[in-house]
Amino acid sequence: MNILGIETSCDETSAAVLVGGAVRANVVSSQRCHGDFGGVVPELASREHERLIVSIVDDALKEANIRKNELDVIAATAGPGLIGAVMVGLCFGEGLAWALGKPFVPVNHVEAHIFSPFIGQDATTRIPKGDFVALTVSGGHTLLSVVHQDLSYEVVGRTIDDAAGEAFDKTGKMLGLGYPAGPVIDRLSRQGDPKFHRFPRALTASSQTSRNYHGNYDFSFSGLKTSVRTWLDRHDPAHVERHIADIAASVQDAIVSVLVEKTIAAARQFRVEAVSVAGGVSANSGLRAAMGEACRTHGLELFIPDAAYSTDNAAMIATMAGLMQSRGKAVANAYDVAPFARFVPAGRALH
Ligand code: KG4
Ligand code: ZN
């Protein structure tokens, strides 16, 4: 089966082609126009997608050496995301599928992240047989879910304020590290001391505000932001500059330790044997190392996508469409699906 996937939910314009489950092309263009604004400007994002979508899809087809009429399925992100941005890829995909007379599969971006560790051939067979706990950490989402082999899932925890990626980006902005700051903090952390300053770890067993911590899988990162601001206000710029790597490492350590602690606690409570981590923040080297070590300690199998598939990409959209088709979960001929901005779990929320 030849699947074209399209992703335009935020600031990456991406198109991918899967042939028999294998990724033949995954073209990703990251928009550079937002850097000066310290965050993604929705209107600029939509315009950039509009400008690039035709050439990115063409590039993917060329790279895969597939002609449009050889496609069996066309899939695009239907949400959640910036509504204008989502609309560009979704309308393009629906229109192309309709014109070619091929099935169109709308894909939930967050669900595509959840299953992104299985991108590539044999995705269907590589999904664990038993339930697994999935941590989805991106610029827009921080979710813990219990996922079943039939692609259904229950959300057991989510952020009550900022997403983990936002925590990286917003604290990084305060530290003058540009946008997106996640990868920069990751790089700086390798030369810094994570114990330099202990930033708060909200809603965890070790936090003082965690009276009802047990079984609380929600996250909160806004206190970390305030704490970094307070630290910066108390120190002169020369001191900050001298210790920028130490502060980056301390911020990263605070975020990563919460993510690892809650994921492992959920895996134990729900008695699963595997854990997955996906979304832009799963590219973080500190998170990959700490989660790897924690999973080894607790005898859990760990699934993480290759770094190229951690951040937004269309290969995960095409993979999700393929999985949905193989499980009979794709809506037939959905040419008029409306885009959506907010994540509404398809599964039952446990609380
Ligand atoms: O999944 P993604 O590409 O887009 C969304 O769906 O949001 O995630 C982007 C987020 C940004 O917040 C970015 O700073 C973060 O992922 N990110 C990282 C790293 N690479 C990307 N955060 C920490 N360390 C990284 N290496
Ligand atoms: Zn994403």
Side-chain angles (χ1 to χ4, degrees), residues 9-12 109 113 137-141 164-166 168-169 179-183 186 252 279-281 283-285 310-312:
S9 68
C10 192
D11 58 345
E12 261 90 27
H109 178 91
H113 271 307
V137 269
S138 71
H141 303 279
E166 270 181 299
F168 275 104
D169 294 338
Y179 176 85
D186 189 354
Q252 180 167 300
V281 178
N284 184 269
S285 57
S310 288
T311 45
D312 289 348

Side-chain angles (χ1 to χ4, degrees), residues 151-235:
L151 311 183
S152 66
Y153 58 95
E154 283 98 37
V155 173
V156 298
R158 56 201 300 180
T159 183
I160 59 170
D161 41 54
D162 293 340
E166 270 181 299
F168 275 104
D169 294 338
K170 289 181 176 172
T171 53
K173 187 176 176 183
M174 291 177 201
L175 297 169
L177 302 179
Y179 176 85
V184 185
I185 292 185
D186 189 354
R187 212 165 46 242
L188 282 172
S189 293
R190 290 175 205 173
Q191 295 123 42
D193 174 11
K195 304 239 171 330
F196 177 73
H197 183 84
R198 190 180 161 85
F199 287 111
R201 286 125 163 88
L203 308 176
T204 61
S206 59
S207 76
Q208 287 157 0
T209 54
S210 63
R211 256 163 291 152
N212 56 357
Y213 159 73
H214 200 68
N216 180 352
Y217 299 115
D218 283 339
F219 301 86
S220 167
F221 294 109
S222 63
L224 169 66
K225 218 167 43 186
T226 312
S227 179
V228 171
R229 165 61 43 224
T230 309
W231 188 89
L232 284 171
D233 289 345
R234 287 190 185 148
H235 295 87

Side-chain angles (χ1 to χ4, degrees), residues 111 114-115 124 127 132 146-154 319-330 346-347:
E111 294 173 9
I114 292 177
F115 290 95
T124 15
I127 296 175
F132 63 98
V146 176
V147 186
H148 315 295
Q149 223 221 352
D150 68 355
L151 311 183
S152 66
Y153 58 95
E154 283 98 37
T319 299
M320 191 66 206
L323 288 170
M324 288 164 74
Q325 287 246 316
S326 71
R327 301 281 202 275
K329 295 204 169 193

Side-chain angles (χ1 to χ4, degrees), residues 1-8 14-27 60 71-78 104-109 111-113 115-116 118-120 123-124 151 309 312-326 330:
M1 183 149 67
N2 302 333
I3 306 179
L4 170 70
I6 297 171
E7 155 62 33
T8 62
S14 180
V17 177
L18 296 198
V19 174
V23 183
R24 277 273 194 93
N26 182 43
V27 180
L71 292 169
D72 297 304
V73 172
I74 292 159
T77 301
F104 177 76
V105 178
V107 171
N108 182 310
H109 178 91
E111 294 173 9
H113 271 307
F115 290 95
S116 62
F118 310 106
I119 288 176
T124 15
L151 311 183
Y309 302 134
D312 289 348
N313 66 88
M316 72 181 189
I317 305 303
T319 299
M320 191 66 206
L323 288 170
M324 288 164 74
Q325 287 246 316
S326 71

